[in-house]
Structures are given as C-alpha cells and as structure tokens.
Amino acid sequence: MFIGSINADMRSILAGLAPAWRGLPVFVGCSGNFTVERILAAQGFTELHGNDVSLYSCALGAYLAKQPFRVEVKDGELAWLGDWLQPGLPALATLLLCTSTLEFHGRDHPYHRRMWDAYLRRWAALHAKTVANLEKGMSGVSLRSFFAGDVVDFLAAAPPESVVVSFPPTYKGGYERLYKKLQAAFAWDEPTYQLFTPERFETLLEGMTSKRYWCLSRDEPVPALAEYEIGRVQTSLRSKPVHVYANVRASILTQPRQNVADVPFPRLSDPPVEGPVSIVTLSQEQLNTLRSEYLSPTIVPARIMWAYGVLLGGRLAGAFAFGSPAGPIGFCDVYMTSDFAVQSSVPRLSKLVLACILSSEVRDILEQKMAQKVRSIGTTAFTDKPVSMKYRGVFDLHSRKEGRLNYLGEAGKWTLEQALTWWKKTQQK
C-alpha cells in the first residue's frame, strides 16, 4: 500500500487547527496521499495548493489540479501495463497498485513468484476496485494548483498571508528508497529537487515560519520551535513520538495503549530443566505481555503473523514469533521477528529456545499455516559485532551488513526431544 498518509491522531490535530486558518490559501508541502488536503476540503477550504516529488503523488496532484500528466512504461517486461495507463483514475489506480505489486516482480523466491502470479491473475478486479476507492476517497477534493518540485522552493514562494503545512521526509533519501522500483518501471517528467538534509530542513523552517500560519511535524524535537510544540503523537509503545509544531495555540498529547493478556503458564525460572517439550500458540496480546516483561523497551517490535511459546514440563521457557513468509530480503522461507527466553537462573536458556524453533514440530506448524514446504527459518541480529553469540552454533550466519547480521537455520533439523538432548549435552557442561 502507498506510504504517504498520516495517522488518525495527526488527522485530528489538523482538523482542530483548521478553524484558525479559514479564509486563507493553504499550501501543503510533501502532500503524499493528500490527507491534509482531504481534511481541509471536508471543512470547506477551497484554495488548496499541493506539492510533491514522487511519481504517484505527482500523478494524483496533477489529477486533482486538472493538470496534464505524462506517464509511460519503460520496463519492457511490464509493457502490458501500458494498456492500464489511460489518463485520470485508470492511470492513478495502476500506479497505486504498482507501489505494492512491484515489490514481488523479478524476484526468485517461490513466495515472491506466487504473489506476483496471484496479482497478475487478479489484476483486472484489483484495478477496478482501486479505481472505485480512489473515486470515493478523492470525491470533493480539488486543488487550485500542484507543484511537482522542491518543497523548500514551493513553500518559499507562498504569499506571506497564507497557511503553510508540511510533514517532510524524516531521513535523507527517503523518497528515493521507498519508490525505487516504481521509478524503474515508468518514465515521466521527473521534477528536480535537492535531497532533504538537516541543512535543508533549516532552510525550510525559515521559509515556513515567515508566513501567517504554519504547521509542521518531525520525529525528533526541534529545539528552536520548543515554544510552538502543540502536539505529540506516539502510535505504539515503542515507536518514536512525532512532534507537531504550529503557531496556533493548542496542547495535544496522544499515546498508545497496548493490549495485553494473561499468559497462563508458570515460568521456567530455575532448574531442573525436564521434558516433555511442547509448543503452544500465543495470541498477539499474550506476546505483548511477554515482550513487555523480557525485552528491552528500546527494541521496536515488528509486526507478527504467528506467535508461539516453548514449554518444558509445563513451564514457559521462552517465546518466538514470525512475520512475513519470505522475510524482508527474501533469504529464507519464513522470517522470525522475535525470539527470547524468560528471565531464569538456567544458563543459556535462549539456546534451547532457538533449538526448539528448528524442530520438525515447529516446521510442521509453519507448513500447515503457509501451505508450502518450509526448509529454512531466517532472522536478523542488529549488532555491529562480527557474530551474534546468541545465534552462534544453532543458526548459520547468512550475510553481514552494517549494523545487522542475517542468520539462517534449517527447519526440521531435529525433533523437540532431540533439541533438548542436544542442548543438555552441548550447552549445560
């Protein structure tokens, strides 16, 4: 799905600021999915001006401003998409679908091939549905103008008696990484702009604060605007808060509430470690409870699909969870997003949890869930060290990148009982 929207709490903050802005033209920098424009249009604002540099946003902005827009297929393998680029909503629907589907194009992993084939089979139906959703979502929204180009230049040119709003990129080269595949697939009249750097942000700030009203957000504090901070939005317990600044008086704080549930198993807090070994299914809420108990609050939890616990003699030894079947870079059949042992006096308990994850019992559970063969389980250790002592000896180092180590394990390597026997012989000396 296209990344360029703002969350519900941010939308509420904007709606609350809007009454102070009535009667003035509004210039929105980095329009993204045009959420700001949609909120203001619903409140009766008619003089709206948008801006962006990404392909989909520029196509949508041109559509809302009734400006011409050229887009063509340049990847020969995707030439068939040319039939779905009729001007207006059809072209927009194609680009929007491609922000998701191209993630699976040209990749060799079986999961990616299946997903790509599935999108091709259902393309016509998905396209029709996307056209309908776009028509409904953009109903009643129009722009006086749209500028495809540098946000700093765009907002600097806004008249002094205007409102300027911008939620700019939070890291250098953000747009370029997000839409790399989309850019490779299509040819269009790409705008010129400077990469967004901290220095560029300072220039943006100077231009915005010279206008009658202004509003911007940042995922880190801006000391120079401390007196203008009107809101702070945090979407999850471990996510970074977003700071909202504006020269309209307000005070808003939104914080997440994590859903938790009781985990009805005693913890394996001390020896002896005895079988039988078993795997139990955990709910998202139960996993939340365990992560809050045993993981550092600085660890940002990833989204999960399935979560499980490891029981030894009825006591909980640890838990683990899986995310997308092919992982973030497609080096495994299933990607493990979390694994940890409970707090215990039993040494190297985390090694036992890892050994159990590679059991034939866990493999069978995953194959039933995924309806496919599972031969490998991958995960990532975020560290600058050459190896992770936690995974060493159980998982194999697959690749090394700056700040992260990708590990790969053989699914179904042994049974749960064999994993326990191996652990006792090799880890409990």
Side-chain angles (χ1 to χ4, degrees):
M1 182 53 66
F2 173 72
I3 301 173
S5 299
I6 57 178
N7 63 54
D9 293 328
M10 291 288 284
R11 293 197 292 269
S12 296
I13 291 175
L14 282 171
L17 294 174
W21 299 343
R22 293 194 186 282
L24 293 173
V26 181
F27 293 77
V28 182
C30 307
S31 291
N33 208 25
F34 293 82
T35 308
V36 174
E37 290 87 340
R38 284 184 283 163
I39 291 170
L40 298 179
Q43 296 206 17
F45 284 74
T46 57
E47 192 171 348
L48 301 172
H49 305 265
N51 152 258
D52 215 295
V53 295
S54 68
L55 171 53
Y56 172 71
S57 294
C58 286
L60 181 54
Y63 170 77
L64 294 174
K66 295 181 173 57
Q67 298 172 188
F69 188 82
R70 181 188 74 87
V71 59
E72 301 168 356
V73 180
K74 68 178 179 181
D75 184 337
E77 293 184 5
L78 299 171
W80 60 273
L81 284 172
D83 295 334
W84 300 87
L85 288 176
Q86 296 90 346
L89 289 176
L92 284 172
T94 297
L95 295 175
L96 183 54
L97 276 174
C98 284
T99 60
S100 298
T101 58
L102 290 183
E103 178 65 24
F104 306 102
H105 174 60
R107 301 179 71 172
D108 291 332
H109 193 279
Y111 169 73
H112 293 124
R113 291 198 298 269
R114 285 197 306 274
M115 288 295 293
W116 177 248
D117 291 341
Y119 272 119
L120 292 185
R121 288 194 302 270
R122 300 189 57 219
W123 180 268
L126 290 171
H127 190 271
K129 183 178 180 180
T130 305
V131 167
N133 289 340
L134 281 169
E135 188 171 25
K136 179 180 179 181
M138 295 299 162
S139 176
V141 183
S142 63
L143 301 179
R144 288 288 182 89
S145 70
F146 177 80
F147 175 71
D150 196 297
V151 63
V152 176
D153 298 337
F154 169 68
L155 295 181
E161 286 297 307
S162 65
V163 181
V164 290
V165 181
S166 184
F167 303 150
T170 57
Y171 52 94
K172 183 178 178 180
Y175 274 136
E176 291 71 26
R177 283 190 283 272
L178 282 174
Y179 308 123
K180 183 178 180 180
K181 287 208 167 188
L182 201 65
Q183 291 290 110
F186 296 97
W188 60 296
D189 300 322
E190 299 182 38
T192 57
Y193 60 94
Q194 295 187 40
L195 288 180
F196 207 77
T197 62
E199 294 74 22
R200 199 65 176 154
F201 175 72
E202 292 298 323
T203 304
L204 174 72
L205 199 59
E206 291 176 9
M208 290 186 67
T209 54
S210 69
K211 312 304 179 184
R212 173 74 177 276
Y213 290 112
W214 53 268
C215 176
L216 67 87
S217 72
R218 201 73 171 152
D219 68 351
E220 57 186 20
V222 182
L225 298 180
E227 63 180 297
Y228 296 103
E229 185 172 7
I230 62 155
R232 194 172 300 175
V233 175
Q234 187 176 0
T235 56
S236 69
L237 289 174
R238 295 185 176 94
S239 66
K240 294 179 67 175
V242 174
H243 303 263
V244 185
Y245 301 93
N247 61 341
V248 174
R249 293 185 63 84
S251 183
I252 305 159
L253 172 66
T254 69
Q255 290 183 307
R257 177 181 180 274
Q258 180 174 240
N259 293 323
V260 295
D262 180 55
V263 181
F265 305 107
R267 308 302 196 255
L268 181 60
S269 57
D270 49 49
V273 179
E274 301 294 343
V277 192
S278 59
I279 303 296
V280 294
T281 300
L282 299 175
S283 67
Q284 173 71 70
E285 292 76 16
Q286 289 173 323
L287 183 68
N288 289 344
T289 298
L290 295 173
R291 286 196 296 203
S292 296
E293 288 182 22
Y294 301 115
L295 293 185
S296 167
T298 62
I299 298 175
V300 179
R303 291 184 60 185
I304 71 160
M305 297 179 69
W306 313 296
Y308 304 96
V310 178
L311 297 185
L312 286 119
R315 294 189 292 171
L316 185 71
F320 55 98
F322 297 103
S324 60
I329 55 175
F331 69 92
C332 54
D333 292 324
V334 63
Y335 186 75
M336 185 167 63
T337 60
S338 183
D339 66 272
F340 54 92
V342 302
Q343 187 173 356
S344 174
S345 62
V346 176
R348 299 185 178 180
L349 189 56
S350 61
K351 294 279 191 180
L352 177 55
V353 173
L354 290 173
C356 290
I357 290 168
L358 297 182
S359 67
S360 56
E361 288 88 344
V362 170
R363 178 203 60 196
D364 292 345
I365 291 171
L366 291 172
E367 289 185 344
Q368 185 177 22
K369 288 283 188 183
M370 299 168 61
Q372 70 172 55
K373 284 287 185 182
V374 173
R375 299 179 178 85
S376 61
I377 295 174
T379 192
T380 302
F382 295 92
T383 177
D384 291 321
K385 297 180 179 179
V387 296
S388 168
M389 297 307 296
K390 174 182 177 181
Y391 295 104
R392 184 179 180 181
V394 188
F395 281 61
D396 297 321
L397 181 62
H398 175 269
S399 60
R400 180 184 289 111
K401 294 184 178 180
E402 184 177 356
R404 65 175 61 192
L405 304 172
N406 289 319
Y407 277 87
L408 200 61
E410 177 189 349
K413 182 177 183 178
W414 42 37
T415 67
L416 286 172
E417 290 301 325
Q418 289 169 337
L420 177 58
T421 300
W422 169 85
W423 178 78
K424 285 182 175 181
K425 287 183 178 180
T426 63
Q427 306 296 315
Q428 294 295 288
K429 293 180 181 181

